[in-house]
Amino acid sequence: MGPVRGRLIALLPLLPLPAQAEVCDKVRPGWTPVDGPVGALAEAGYVLASPVGLILLAFVALAMIWPRRWLAVLAALPLLVLAGLLFLARRADVAVQAMTEGCIGGIGPTVVLLILIAAAVLVRGFAARRRQP
């Protein structure tokens, strides 16, 4: 066995295995290895463009247009819950395998963005003056 063949055999454990490919088929069915690994900004776009993300962003827009304290709290609370769930979900074994495969990206910027949006909604809702009747 030559030195080149020995190095190729040593690299076999680093290649994606069928078990890892099944993780990405379940987590992100539309992703293919040809697309390349998903980055953190693409992951943020994926989360915010999901149906849940779009509903929350619409609710945030409503809270920003009509700044009321109760509406700000009702808009910020689901954002913070989503940020917490995303942070905790990335610690699961399936998520770790999917990140290794490259079909999901880092969630840090998304969590920070959701927290900043929630803070902006709360500041807008609590800083707004009530109209004098």
Side-chain angles (χ1 to χ4, degrees):
M1 186 151 105
V4 174
R5 190 181 310 167
R7 289 183 186 150
L8 289 176
I9 291 174
L11 291 176
L12 283 178
L14 299 176
L15 295 175
L17 301 174
Q20 288 178 328
E22 290 178 12
V23 170
C24 285
D25 287 341
K26 294 175 186 171
V27 175
R28 298 275 168 88
W31 181 82
T32 60
V34 176
D35 297 337
V38 176
L41 293 177
E43 186 69 22
Y46 183 83
V47 169
L48 294 176
S50 69
V52 171
L54 292 175
I55 290 170
L56 291 178
L57 288 178
F59 202 43
V60 164
L62 183 69
M64 294 298 265
I65 292 171
W66 292 294
R68 305 285 186 265
R69 289 179 183 170
W70 62 271
L71 189 57
V73 171
L74 288 177
L77 189 62
L79 287 173
L80 295 173
V81 168
L82 178 63
L85 287 175
L86 288 173
F87 180 74
L88 292 175
R90 288 300 193 256
R91 297 178 185 268
D93 293 336
V94 173
V96 171
Q97 290 174 354
M99 286 180 74
T100 303
E101 184 70 19
C103 60
I104 63 173
I107 204 66
T110 307
V111 169
V112 170
L113 181 64
L114 290 172
I115 292 171
L116 288 176
I117 292 172
V121 168
L122 289 172
V123 167
R124 172 95 168 122
F126 280 88
R129 294 184 188 177
R130 292 192 171 192
R131 293 184 184 181
Q132 297 293 332

